[in-house]
């Protein structure tokens, strides 16, 4: 059994990690920390866990954590970079669900997150935790930067086109729709049911933290800088991201060629599901499941749309983190991740 | 024109008062106060009001307020009782949407609201602002305690049975379902879309502030103490209260007798709509409108159910407050209150 | 492996059976039938199942079905009673999720469901599939009538009080709130998002098919006829039932006595979770999980409320059916049913 | 008083027309027709209208209709073109909320709507009912084609850029999100709360009827053909359209220039509200109100986004139809259309 800890267990990625880790056949959850709730039973805050764990939240303590095999950080930005060096030094692997190790350039991190990076020397050692695209790096590294929810959907949807050099590297558009759980479990008026229910609005149109993350990753895959307009919208739903992706082809490609390109890229992957050409995936078809469903359209020659859906808390966060854990420790990649989506 | 002010304009009852008062043909909104937002344009916080007002929030100031004809308090409990005496002394009428003047006994107020009452001598002078039942008192008083949202639905639904002495005064049950706007515009985790969306739960089952209010009002109407079990539930919707009311008859009554009793009680009232016997009113049939729709059932002889629906922000708060204003100033009772509910 | 079939796989109980049966460690799903969709891949209708099954819908055929160990009927009322006799004669066990075998009196069945019963002689042989209360009968019978969703929540909530003789057998009230999936996957205007979204309404207040079912079961447990007012409401949510149950005590009982009574009744049961006295369970704490969470209140001496929540499609239908399968075949009762509820 | 009729009053545009027309100070609703519901009281189907009308649905009859001043068609496609010629010949003005007169080319109509046009000679006489852009034509014509809901939002959002020749006529993208009421009041499984609640999906990505309508209108305004990718999505909400519009500038323009362009175009219009540059309008800010709110962004030089929100049933259908009526009859343009949006 792999003994793991979760630092910062009171948010939605925390409870989702526990929903998936507690029944994981190869994992033992040794501790879950929370400064604010230390001493309280976890299932008092998250009643869905009643009967599945007797753990209480503990204080985060580096000495205890570094005795574990792996630690997940489900914390606000800035915490993981404080604690990771000591854990890594002790041989504990770190899977960070925050943004601390996602961007390779510390000045970009500081620009978007408002914090000076505490261990910039680790940035080049961190693997970007999108196993379908960066599997070898993840296998080699003991520090995994779990991607953001939007970047997961956008990157999986556009990567094949850019890796093949088929799409223009400019003029890419990601018009994304997210459920409210993407904004976390924080008491903000704008996230009240009365404010975000029965309502749709865009936000961060002129700039959002996930844009540089996507541009860096896709640029690496493309072998050249890419330019993306990223437009997030808040939807009146709880879970789910729908990414509507627009790209222009450099030269004509048939629908069959496009479908084959994606088929070859993701064919054997258990967690990327390519729908028949011209399909319309729905977010509810992935609710609660660690999967990205993709469909391709070419409404006019040269104009390609990719529709990508994920559950932002699973393939967009906790599920992908566990996929990274499985990958890192050589477990079957689907261990603990075979949940079927909840429909309806 | 009647010049009015709104104290505490940043909550949902505040914005709803403005939605209804700004187009009111006999009213001029002279000021809207907010300590927190003083100086800011109202329509920056509530964009639905863009184009309908250029007012900014002002600081609440008794000297200014007492030059108005009437002042609405859309404040948390405790504010109105501080400011009302000075306004009343200056001849300004006060319509309080908080609970400060709803209960006649200051010790009951202190028990449920945790505050010592600041002007208990005014309690006996306040009229309970349910115009269908207390019209003469409202006409005589310059201090009107606007009822709570639940009490409006429950009292209108049970009053005819109790006034006629047909229902047992014990064993009454009000199983109530409310949209989230009833909890106000406050940043609480339990009110997030992610927490209260796609979810139903009861709260305050063992005791809720609206129970003593209902029991006092219904007891006055019944001429004897009554005993009510009040069970509120939070629904995954924005507006609306559905009160499912259970009473036992003291002696047999036919369905026609029951229907006639309610018909006689509310027949001419423009804001209480009695549906055909055995109907099932829906909250959306009153969304945005100042109306209570009622329907009666008698599934087994002697067991009566009354189903009552209101929009908690209109007939349950702001609309009723304006109905009280109209009544108090001798305006047509429907002035400014003829909105048709939004369906779908 | 137990080989099972699902007759009528295109409704919500059908897809939910498949979500739970496909990963069940002791079960093989041999066939899923649908007259309307025969020949079509199941995962084309239910995309959440993509990657989990390659089955197509087949025509329901008794000759094929009776070669299976067990058959689930997820059909409209009237189908199971046509096919069950042949299957039972062949030794195939039948678990019927429709109402065909829930009521012992065929005339009551005919009154509420409008069909003459086709095999009334089987009614006395059917076990009522609420394993927490009727385990021995279920173990003995090869015909199991899976309870309705509302009856599951109401019966589990009231049974301890009635079995102990503590509650009055009259004056019981079940005020129930259900998500829209309880009404099935049928194209009706009243179930559109535009009609039932952001809306609450009661229905069937004067009589609903689940009332006689509940009254029969509770009457058996009480040892005398009981009388219940059952009031269902449609909520703007997808899954979940919240039953708010009202009973009067025959003689005074302390809160501790009440809690102990339920604790003794359900203590060892893995799928009934008794919360601390005075709690407020939420439907989302059971979404997707085969569990009923209960909490008891006594707001005034002698007046007891039990709050019961289930997922209507799991513990209220498909999950319970599998629990019955496990019980019937002597499998571990939790086999295939250990999903943790999805929160948020 | 202008005497009007509504043909096809049982859909959502029908009930919305009645919500707005019944209190309209210059209009008398003389009849509302429905083949299916003839003889039934309107308020039995739409209980929000109780107390506001005693009308019953009548059979649609040309002889009666042509005695009216104006007739609204809130019918499925194909009805208005059958009845319009007789009405126009009698001097009755026709405002058609269906698509029958929106496209100038009957072969395009036939391609997208599957019907041969019955009166192609009238197409050139119909005015496109977007009063902010085609006011003079509307004033001259007695046949007004009320725009589709999506085309209203998209056209108002892109028109200024195209009329000024600032935007490329190719590469335009309209990524649109609509509430479910846009699909009408029809019993389809895909529109159930259980299917479209808590879910987001695109539809018609490779081709939707509103694309040729938008392209024709914008092409006329641009003075040259334009090419648009139109991507509609269904949102889990009842009302509202959010159009996220992408255009590329032909030459650099400052943010101030962009804002001024729109300001000059729509400045005096009461029903187009330009927000400060860089704002994020929300659909709930227009719920129930006849207004389009717009905001402009330029995240990177040359890439312009316009965010446009409307209530699809008001500015996107019934409200705009009444605006056309007002315009056509020389009434104050805001008559009957001054409702403030319902928030929350």
């Amino acid at each position: 059994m792999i003994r793991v800890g979760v630092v910062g267990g009171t948010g939605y990625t925390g409870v989702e990690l526990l929903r998936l880790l507690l029944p994981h056949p190869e994992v033992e959850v040794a501790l879950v920390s929370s400064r604010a709730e230390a001493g309280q039973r976890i299932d008092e805050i998250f009643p869905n866990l009643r009967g599945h764990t007797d753990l209480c939240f503990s204080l985060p303590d580096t000495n205890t954590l570094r005795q574990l095999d792996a630690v997940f950080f489900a914390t606000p930005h800035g915490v993981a970079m404080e604690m990771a060096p000591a854990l890594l030094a002790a041989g504990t692997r770190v899977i960070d669900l925050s943004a601390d190790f996602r961007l390779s350039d510390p000045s970009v991190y500081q620009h978007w997150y408002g914090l000076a990076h505490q261990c910039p020397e680790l940035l080049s050692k961190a693997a970007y935790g999108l196993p379908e695209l960066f599997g070898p790096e993840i296998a080699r590294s003991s520090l995994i930067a779990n991607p953001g929810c939007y970047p997961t959907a956008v990157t999986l949807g556009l990567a094949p086109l850019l890796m093949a050099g088929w799409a223009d590297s400019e003029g890419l558009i990601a018009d994304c729709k997210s459920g409210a759980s993407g904004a976390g479990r924080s008491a903000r008026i704008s996230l009240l049911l009365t404010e975000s229910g029965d309502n749709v609005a865009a936000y961060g149109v002129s700039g959002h933290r996930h844009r540089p993350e996507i541009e860096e990753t896709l640029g690496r895959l493309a072998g050249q800088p890419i330019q993306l307009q990223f437009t997030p919208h808040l939807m009146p739903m709880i879970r789910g991201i729908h990414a509507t992706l627009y790209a222009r082809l450099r030269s004509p490609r048939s629908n069959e060629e496009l479908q084959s390109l994606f088929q070859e890229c993701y064919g054997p992957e258990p967690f990327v599901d390519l729908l028949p050409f011209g399909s319309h995936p729905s977010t509810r078809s992935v609710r609660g499941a660690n999967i990205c469903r993709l469909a391709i359209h070419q409404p006019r020659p040269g104009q390609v749309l990719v529709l990508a859906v994920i559950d932002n808390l699973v393939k967009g966060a906790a599920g992908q983190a566990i996929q990274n854990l499985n990958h890192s420790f050589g477990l079957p990649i689907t261990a603990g991740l075979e949940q079927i989506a909840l429909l309806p």
Side-chain angles (χ1 to χ4, degrees), chain A residues 82-133:
Chain A
E82 298 278 359
M83 300 176 71
L87 300 183
L88 294 169
T92 299
R93 298 188 205 177
V94 169
I95 300 176
D96 177 21
L97 285 80
S98 83
D100 285 3
F101 298 100
R102 291 178 192 160
L103 298 164
S104 62
D105 183 339
S107 69
V108 176
Y109 178 83
Q110 180 157 3
H111 173 75
W112 287 98
Y113 293 91
L115 300 170
H117 208 285
Q118 298 302 302
C119 46
E121 71 285 0
L122 286 181
L123 289 176
S124 63
K125 299 185 179 153
Y128 190 70
L130 206 47
E132 289 83 2
L133 298 171

Side-chain angles (χ1 to χ4, degrees), chain A residues 162-225:
Chain A
L162 290 164
M163 291 163 74
W166 288 14
D168 270 349
S169 58
E170 300 209 344
L172 297 164
I173 291 175
D175 191 286
C176 294
K177 297 89 181 164
S178 175
S181 62
R185 185 170 170 269
S186 61
R188 284 193 277 152
I189 281 181
S190 63
L191 298 176
L192 297 178
L193 170 65
T194 43
E195 300 283 316
S196 53
D198 208 45
N199 187 35
V200 168
Y203 63 99
V205 169
S206 298
H208 183 283
R209 293 166 170 183
H210 284 172
R211 179 163 64 75
E213 180 182 338
I214 299 167
E215 288 185 339
E216 175 174 343
T217 310
L218 286 178
R220 281 175 60 199
L221 294 168
Q224 62 172 312

Side-chain angles (χ1 to χ4, degrees), chain A residues 18-344:
Chain A
L18 293 175
R19 180 177 77 89
L20 300 170
L21 287 171
L22 289 170
H24 192 297
E26 310 282 347
V27 168
E28 178 198 344
V29 179
L31 71 83
V32 182
S33 80
S34 160
R35 287 195 190 281
E37 306 290 347
Q40 191 171 7
R41 282 182 66 95
I42 295 172
D43 62 6
E44 284 179 9
I45 292 191
F46 297 122
N48 62 324
L49 301 178
R50 283 176 61 91
H52 297 278
T53 182
D54 289 317
L55 279 173
C56 294
F57 291 109
S58 59
L59 282 171
D61 170 56
T62 310
N63 286 333
T64 315
L65 289 167
R66 68 184 178 190
Q67 297 168 32
L68 302 173
D69 298 310
V71 171
F72 295 94
F73 282 87
T75 43
H77 312 304
V79 176
M81 67 183 175
E82 298 278 359
M83 300 176 71
L87 300 183
L88 294 169
T92 299
R93 298 188 205 177
V94 169
I95 300 176
D96 177 21
L97 285 80
S98 83
D100 285 3
F101 298 100
R102 291 178 192 160
L103 298 164
S104 62
D105 183 339
S107 69
V108 176
Y109 178 83
Q110 180 157 3
H111 173 75
W112 287 98
Y113 293 91
L115 300 170
H117 208 285
Q118 298 302 302
C119 46
E121 71 285 0
L122 286 181
L123 289 176
S124 63
K125 299 185 179 153
Y128 190 70
L130 206 47
E132 289 83 2
L133 298 171
F134 300 101
E137 296 178 29
I138 294 166
R140 277 195 306 271
S141 179
S142 53
L143 171 57
I144 301 170
N146 215 56
C149 50
Y150 286 124
T152 296
V154 175
T155 305
L156 288 173
L158 288 175
L161 293 170
L162 290 164
M163 291 163 74
W166 288 14
D168 270 349
S169 58
E170 300 209 344
L172 297 164
I173 291 175
D175 191 286
C176 294
K177 297 89 181 164
S178 175
S181 62
R185 185 170 170 269
S186 61
R188 284 193 277 152
I189 281 181
S190 63
L191 298 176
L192 297 178
L193 170 65
T194 43
E195 300 283 316
S196 53
D198 208 45
N199 187 35
V200 168
Y203 63 99
V205 169
S206 298
H208 183 283
R209 293 166 170 183
H210 284 172
R211 179 163 64 75
E213 180 182 338
I214 299 167
E215 288 185 339
E216 175 174 343
T217 310
L218 286 178
R220 281 175 60 199
L221 294 168
Q224 62 172 312
I226 68 105
Q227 206 178 67
L228 175 94
Q229 169 56 27
F230 170 58
T231 317
H233 301 74
L234 185 61
M235 299 290 106
M237 66 179 183
I238 296 175
R239 287 170 178 245
I241 283 179
H242 186 291
T244 311
L245 307 169
Y246 300 86
R248 297 192 156 277
L249 296 180
R250 285 180 165 147
S251 52
R253 305 287 173 180
S254 70
N255 295 345
E256 293 70 25
E257 286 176 294
L258 288 164
Q259 187 76 359
S260 294
L261 177 72
F262 277 71
Q263 189 62 45
E264 280 160 31
C265 185
Y266 295 126
E269 290 294 342
F271 297 127
V272 177
D273 176 27
L274 182 63
L275 302 185
F277 192 89
S279 298
H280 297 95
S282 62
T283 58
R284 69 177 198 143
S285 76
V286 299
R287 185 170 38 198
N290 190 57
I291 195 148
C292 175
R293 299 202 201 273
L294 296 173
I296 315 169
H297 291 250
Q298 187 174 204
R300 282 185 166 112
Q303 182 164 51
V304 173
L305 275 79
V306 183
L307 310 180
V309 295
I310 58 169
D311 183 323
N312 54 300
L313 294 179
V314 191
K315 183 61 177 164
Q320 183 143 277
I322 294 166
Q323 189 182 343
N324 280 316
L325 180 88
N326 290 347
H327 194 90
S328 177
F329 283 87
L331 304 177
I333 193 72
T334 58
L337 293 175
E338 298 187 288
Q339 294 80 10
I340 301 178
L342 207 63
L343 178 160

